[in-house]
């Protein structure tokens, strides 16, 4: 059983719309949650980190965490074609040796003009 | 923010040879670094956790004698793919966490695309 689940997509939204990306995780002691963006052929880059229940906003990005329901989401407002990429959800579980991350399989987002 | 430098960015080697990949934390000390492998259209798979001054911790199914990891200093970890074969061709990425701030998260190197011919 996978520990971090994402809808692989592809998710297609028009330019200017809100893109909503979701991630669920297994019932373990969870600690930290991260969203990464990965362009084709490149390494992941950190978009947001979130540790507490609720919303965290940074520019056009909002991360939402609900530990009771075991999901974390990422909203991208005013989506741009340059946002087209694979979005990876990552979870750092409490008690994990050396703080390693577990990644979901990623959601492919396409923003069309 | 934290910066992780990884070299080389790409390498082509002959089957049976060894390849070394370097990962450096440029502006912070990383007692722990992580090595991932990513095949096309797949997510990142953790290979091993590299610990400064001690042996690396390998994930299940990863051959420690084939993927040698050395973390001799607080800013440098190396991954050596020994006796490489075509099936080892992949995108290898290192990562480190800047413990100075949780906001930095885990920073990734730029990755190394290995092609074994």
């Amino acid at each position: 059983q996978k520990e971090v689940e994402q809808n692989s997509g592809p998710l297609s939204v028009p330019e200017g719309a809100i893109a909503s990306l979701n991630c669920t995780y297994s019932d373990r002691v969870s600690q930290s949650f991260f969203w990464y963006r990965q362009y084709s052929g490149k390494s992941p880059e950190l978009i947001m980190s979130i540790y507490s229940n609720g919303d965290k906003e940074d520019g056009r990005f909002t991360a939402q965490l609900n530990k009771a329901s075991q999901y974390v989401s990422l909203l991208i407002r005013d989506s741009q074609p340059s946002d087209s990429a694979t979005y990876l959800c990552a979870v750092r579980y409490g008690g994990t040796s050396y703080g390693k991350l577990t990644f979901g399989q990623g959601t492919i987002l396409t923003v069309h003009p | 923010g934290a910066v992780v430098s990884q070299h080389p960015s790409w390498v082509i080697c002959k089957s049976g040879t060894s390849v070394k990949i370097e990962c450096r934390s440029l502006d912070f000390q990383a007692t722990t670094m992580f090595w991932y492998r990513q095949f096309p259209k797949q997510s990142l798979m953790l290979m091993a956790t590299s610990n400064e001054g001690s042996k690396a911790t390998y994930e299940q199914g990863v051959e420690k004698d084939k993927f040698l990891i050395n973390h001799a200093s607080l800013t440098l970890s190396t991954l050596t793919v020994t006796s490489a074969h075509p099936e080892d061709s992949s995108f290898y990425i290192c990562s480190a966490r800047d413990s100075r701030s949780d906001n930095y998260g885990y920073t990734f190197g730029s990755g190394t695309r290995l092609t074994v011919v």
Side-chain angles (χ1 to χ4, degrees):
Chain A
Q1 181 180 353
K2 293 182 181 178
E3 297 184 344
V4 181
E5 294 267 4
Q6 291 181 257
N7 187 328
S8 61
L11 173 65
S12 181
V13 300
E15 184 175 356
I18 296 175
S20 178
L21 306 163
N22 299 309
C23 173
T24 59
Y25 56 95
S26 61
D27 186 17
R28 289 174 57 187
V29 177
S30 52
Q31 190 172 78
S32 310
F33 306 85
F34 305 88
W35 282 100
Y36 286 87
R37 176 174 61 195
Q38 186 177 26
Y39 292 111
S40 180
K42 303 295 184 181
S43 68
E45 54 180 328
L46 180 67
I47 299 176
M48 298 273 293
S49 59
I50 186 167
Y51 310 99
S52 305
N53 279 325
D55 296 358
K56 180 180 179 182
E57 186 175 320
D58 184 1
R60 295 186 297 113
F61 300 96
T62 299
Q64 299 173 319
L65 175 61
N66 185 322
K67 291 190 176 182
S69 300
Q70 295 167 215
Y71 84 78
V72 56
S73 63
L74 179 70
L75 300 178
I76 306 175
R77 291 181 298 281
D78 189 24
S79 296
Q80 302 297 310
S82 58
D83 294 327
S84 298
T86 297
Y87 288 80
L88 299 166
C89 171
V91 178
R92 176 187 174 191
Y93 289 100
T96 304
S97 300
Y98 310 109
K100 66 181 182 181
L101 298 181
T102 300
F103 283 87
Q105 67 268 39
T107 298
I108 299 171
L109 172 66
T110 301
V111 181
H112 53 85
Chain B
V3 179
V4 174
S5 175
Q6 185 174 343
H7 290 97
S9 56
W10 60 271
V11 59
I12 302 173
C13 71
K14 292 185 177 180
S15 186
T17 62
S18 296
V19 173
K20 179 184 284 189
I21 302 170
E22 291 189 350
C23 181
R24 294 180 185 271
S25 56
L26 296 186
D27 53 354
F28 66 101
Q29 293 182 335
T31 56
T32 303
M33 291 186 177
F34 306 91
W35 287 96
Y36 294 86
R37 180 169 52 183
Q38 187 177 36
F39 292 106
K41 300 189 185 301
Q42 295 187 22
S43 190
L44 280 74
M45 294 300 298
L46 180 65
M47 299 175 65
T49 302
S50 168
N51 305 295
E52 187 269 336
S54 64
K55 291 183 178 180
T57 302
Y58 290 82
E59 295 299 302
Q60 191 173 8
V62 177
E63 301 174 58
K64 62 181 180 180
D65 294 332
K66 180 172 183 61
F67 299 98
L68 301 180
I69 291 174
N70 183 280
H71 195 154
S73 77
L74 287 172
T75 59
L76 174 64
S77 176
T78 61
L79 168 68
T80 301
V81 182
T82 63
S83 186
H85 291 285
E87 57 266 30
D88 297 323
S89 298
S90 187
F91 191 44
Y92 292 86
I93 316 172
C94 68
S95 172
R97 180 169 180 258
D98 186 352
S99 59
R100 294 173 298 177
S101 170
D102 279 339
N103 290 330
Y104 292 147
Y106 293 69
T107 302
F108 284 84
S110 56
T112 298
R113 188 159 305 281
L114 170 63
T115 302
V116 184
V117 297

